Amino acid sequence: MTYQDQRSTADGARAVLVPRHVPSGARAAVLFLHGGRADSRAVSRPWHLAALRMRPFVRATSAELGDAPVALAEVRYRVRGWNGADADAFHDAERAVAALERLVGDVPVVLVGHSMGGRAALRAAAAPQVRGVVALAPWCPPAEPVAHLRGKHLLVLHGDRDRVTDPGASVAFAERARAAGATADVRIVPGGDHAMLRDGASWHRAAARGVVTLLE
């Protein structure tokens, strides 16, 4: 499978979705959601570090999938922040999932999200075509909803040296998700930081293998 920067011309997809690889007859899809800020109305740009940080995860997933007919795409947020009750990143994630369905049809989808993108992915998993979520150092406030995750599959990777989002909150979120009927596996990464720079290749491989497992 070749990693490509393909831009969709499908109606409505361009605003929130950046397709990276769309094979003919795709049987599944993976959507990557980068991080952001708690509050910011600044326009989200593809050259921001949060967006660039996800590119190796896309490449690693592409390599792990090989020739499997799986579409890969990234979210394009309108603004950089979650922004309280507006939950801008979540609504963009919802739109991206819908745009992905228009692009490749009703196929199983796995969401891969980091930090704020992890929170957005976990909420957007309510969509029926979403099979599971790989959440990387996700932002999981105590009141984050979990009822919609019944029947979904979650893999959470969180570094024990993360000083931006709380690994303990990820564990608590996974426990609540299990109680709601999800399957959830939490892996604490020894020495891992929020930016996933320490032994980054291990993060990339673990996430890519998690995607393949959830698609299986």
Side-chain angles (χ1 to χ4, degrees):
M1 181 181 295
T2 303
Y3 176 78
Q4 302 175 25
D5 184 358
Q6 302 180 25
R7 298 303 173 100
S8 172
T9 57
D11 182 37
R14 183 176 292 276
V16 291
L17 190 71
V18 181
R20 294 297 181 185
H21 177 74
V22 184
S24 177
R27 297 180 183 175
V30 185
L31 177 64
F32 296 84
L33 303 96
H34 63 76
R37 299 178 176 178
D39 297 287
S40 175
R41 303 289 180 183
V43 176
S44 180
R45 301 296 188 186
W47 56 81
H48 288 152
L49 285 177
L52 295 176
R53 191 172 288 129
M54 292 305 290
R55 300 295 172 79
F57 289 95
V58 182
R59 289 192 290 267
T61 301
S62 177
E64 190 72 21
L65 288 166
D67 294 328
V70 178
L72 305 177
E74 294 181 70
V75 72
R76 176 185 285 156
Y77 301 122
R78 293 163 299 155
V79 296
R80 301 185 75 178
W82 184 272
N83 301 318
D86 289 342
D88 288 314
F90 161 56
H91 293 301
D92 286 344
E94 279 191 313
R95 295 183 184 103
V97 170
L100 188 57
E101 183 176 17
R102 292 194 296 272
L103 187 64
V104 299
D106 185 12
V107 299
V109 175
V110 169
L111 307 179
V112 181
H114 173 239
S115 193
M116 179 191 77
R119 184 180 183 183
L122 289 165
R123 279 211 193 178
Q129 65 269 42
V130 175
R131 176 173 293 179
V133 177
V134 176
L136 308 168
W139 175 22
C140 296
E144 194 65 13
V146 295
H148 64 286
L149 294 172
R150 180 178 180 83
K152 308 290 183 175
H153 306 283
L154 314 179
L155 170 61
V156 181
L157 305 175
H158 212 134
D160 64 0
R161 294 188 181 181
D162 196 324
R163 299 295 180 265
V164 178
T165 56
D166 181 8
S170 284
V171 172
F173 179 89
E175 290 173 349
R176 293 194 299 115
R178 288 190 203 102
T183 61
D185 179 18
V186 181
R187 302 177 191 174
I188 301 300
V189 181
D193 59 2
H194 188 70
M196 305 174 294
L197 295 176
R198 293 173 61 93
D199 196 12
S202 293
W203 282 87
H204 306 152
R205 286 194 300 271
R209 290 168 182 168
V211 167
V212 172
T213 297
L214 292 183
L215 287 176
E216 290 173 346

